[in-house]
Amino acid sequence: NAGVMQNPRHLVRRRGQEARLRCSPMKGHSHVYWYRQLPEEGLKFMVYLQKENIIDESGMPKERFSAEFPKEGPSILRIQQVVRGDSAAYFCASSPARTGDTGELFFGEGSRLTVL
Amino acid sequence: KNEVEQSPQNLTAQEGEFITINCSYSVGISALHWLQQHPGGGIVSLFMLSSGKKKHGRLIATINIQEKHSSLHITASHPRDSAVYICAVLSYQLTFGKGTKLSVIP
């Protein structure tokens, strides 16, 4: 049973390009969470998705950032027109139910974005 | 908004020492997670607590709901325990502490 898979593990982009980060949750998990870890900062919640629905995007910047979790395929965090401040590690986590119900949460290895 | 404070920020210990990392939070929660992050690596969930105490190998986690405080203990520490330990509390969503960087010296 594979864990949460994130790719790419490392991504380098120039300012103004687009970054796409993918997350495949654990088998049987339909809840996906994205977190961002800025250098020397703690993890911050970005967005919570269930299959085909965004449940809570209160932590995600209103511009340039979007997330989806389609019926088929991985969840994708998309950052348009990247800026240097977007350089961070982006972690995905999945759970079989909303974390408030079970507390179970499994993290991926993270995707490290560097914007030149 | 829940504030999560961890102490100490940095901790250096000799191999074999008993280690304690503390976490305090400001509002009521339904659960608390202790996470481990190795440099450049992913995040592993060590414990999820809503009350009392849990033990896994050399790791022990306790929580006092009334005092809004949790501790993570490592007995007989080993260099492979060197990592950042993160406390995260769950109310509506997860709020994370900034982590405690532990270095265990042989």
Side-chain angles (χ1 to χ4, degrees):
Chain A
N1 186 14
V4 178
M5 304 300 290
Q6 288 189 248
N7 69 83
R9 291 290 309 279
H10 300 274
L11 182 64
V12 178
R13 286 286 179 265
R14 296 191 179 280
R15 280 180 296 169
Q17 291 184 319
E18 179 179 287
R20 282 190 184 225
L21 310 176
R22 291 175 209 76
C23 169
S24 296
M26 284 184 72
K27 189 176 179 181
H29 288 193
S30 59
H31 299 249
V32 165
Y33 307 79
W34 284 94
Y35 301 95
R36 178 165 66 173
Q37 187 176 43
L38 290 165
E40 307 303 320
E41 297 273 332
L43 285 149
K44 295 282 195 298
F45 168 79
M46 296 184 75
V47 61
Y48 162 39
L49 308 108
Q50 276 185 273
K51 281 284 186 184
E52 300 185 272
N53 290 304
I54 297 174
I55 306 301
D56 180 357
E57 56 182 349
S58 59
M60 201 153 67
K62 295 284 186 283
E63 296 179 356
R64 303 187 298 108
F65 285 72
S66 62
E68 62 177 14
F69 188 16
K71 188 176 180 182
E72 301 291 336
S75 174
I76 294 175
L77 180 66
R78 182 181 176 208
I79 312 171
Q80 294 178 287
Q81 300 175 329
V82 296
V83 301
R84 288 217 175 101
D86 297 332
S87 296
Y90 292 83
F91 287 92
C92 169
S94 75
S95 68
R98 188 182 177 112
T99 52
D101 298 332
T102 69
E104 287 188 302
L105 196 60
F106 299 85
F107 286 83
E109 295 280 309
S111 290
R112 281 150 181 86
L113 172 66
T114 301
V115 180
L116 301 177
Chain B
K1 184 185 171 186
N2 215 341
E3 302 289 338
V4 181
E5 297 288 335
Q6 283 187 238
S7 63
Q9 282 187 306
N10 293 284
L11 179 57
T12 300
Q14 289 291 134
E15 184 174 356
E17 282 186 10
F18 180 83
I19 287 161
T20 296
I21 299 170
N22 296 299
C23 175
S24 297
Y25 51 92
S26 56
V27 302
I29 63 171
S30 57
L32 181 146
H33 291 258
W34 280 103
L35 310 171
Q36 180 192 55
Q37 184 176 24
H38 284 282
I43 295 169
V44 175
S45 180
L46 299 174
F47 294 104
M48 192 278 291
L49 292 162
S50 52
S51 65
K53 176 180 175 177
K54 284 190 177 179
K55 184 175 190 292
H56 185 250
R58 295 180 294 106
L59 302 177
I60 303 165
T62 63
I63 188 168
N64 185 318
I65 296 291
Q66 286 72 34
E67 294 189 3
K68 297 186 174 61
H69 181 269
S70 175
S71 293
L72 176 69
H73 305 285
I74 305 175
T75 61
S77 59
H78 190 276
R80 65 174 173 264
D81 297 327
S82 298
V84 175
Y85 292 85
I86 302 168
C87 169
V89 300
L90 179 63
S91 44
Y92 178 67
Q93 58 189 228
L94 271 181
T95 303
F96 299 83
K98 290 191 174 181
T100 294
K101 185 176 180 181
L102 172 65
S103 300
V104 181
I105 300 168

